[in-house]
Amino acid sequence: MMRVIMLSPPGAGKGTHSKWLAQQTGAEHISSGELLRSEVASGSDVGRQVAAYTARGDLVPDELIFSILVPIVVAAVRETGGYVLDGFPRTMPQALRAAEIGVEFSLTSNAVIYLTAPQDELVSRLLDRAQREGRDDDTLEVIRHRLAVFAAETAPLVDYYRGRGILLELSTDRPEAEVRADLQGWLESRGLMPSAAASSADDADAAG
Ligand code: AMP
């Protein structure tokens, strides 16, 4: 079963492609950002702590992230056999600890998809999304900060996973159907996706 990490800067399409992969394979889509947003929306104490970071575009501390995510990932593997991790891990300490937990619970990732697009394209997609979804971290200032945080904290994970031989790098600066076809071909070639799976989603480009 597919246990994949979607690694990409904000706006490169990880939300869109994660949803599609989960639909195609039955693996559970786990979005750290969505989980954090619902925690904030619940008005809990944890939600208030989280909001102080997310509103600025800063990363939420690792302890908080692990306490929210680990039970969900363990349950997803038990129930579906796989996962599409959208937005986690996002720092080297998160990646190293996730790898240890993966060994401990037999849920090690077997693929990492690194989605890329030019910076100005990322910014314009996120500003478009702001019109549609009204996320409070999709303002120009916070977007720029999130991109800088990605470059400083998350980009080092690319070489780490490339070194483990499980990384596919894909440009999303082209029609979504082409990206999906490449994604599917690579996952099929690794035995992580059934070849019969055909896409029925539309071709609209989307941020995420
Ligand atoms: P996203 O929806 O993936 O763009 O995430 C929205 C925000 O949630 C990020 O800007 C961070 O503040 C926070 N966040 C999401 N995932 C993580 C993570 N793995 N570690 C720390 N903060 C995170």
Side-chain angles (χ1 to χ4, degrees), residues 16-17 20 23 175-178 180 199-206:
T16 305
H17 290 289
W20 177 75
Q23 260 170 25
E176 206 175 297
E178 277 180 32
R180 276 203 296 262
S199 154
S200 57
D202 66 32
D203 283 345
D205 279 323

Side-chain angles (χ1 to χ4, degrees), residues 16 29 95 103 106 133-134 150:
T16 305
H29 175 207
V103 170
S106 300
E133 296 178 18
F150 176 84

Side-chain angles (χ1 to χ4, degrees), residues 45-67:
D45 281 349
V46 173
R48 270 189 292 278
Q49 289 175 52
V50 166
Y53 298 94
T54 54
R56 289 196 307 263
D58 285 329
L59 295 179
V60 173
D62 291 351
E63 286 313 312
L64 221 44
I65 292 290
F66 278 90
S67 67

Side-chain angles (χ1 to χ4, degrees), residues 10 14 31-34 36-37 53-54 57-60 62 65 69 86-90 94 129 135 137 146:
K14 69 183 156 52
S31 160
S32 53
E34 275 172 22
L36 293 169
R37 281 187 288 281
Y53 298 94
T54 54
D58 285 329
L59 295 179
V60 173
D62 291 351
I65 292 290
L69 274 179
D86 166 0
F88 171 87
R90 226 165 169 117
Q94 285 182 11
R129 183 172 74 185
R135 261 175 64 169
D137 58 351
R146 286 159 62 212

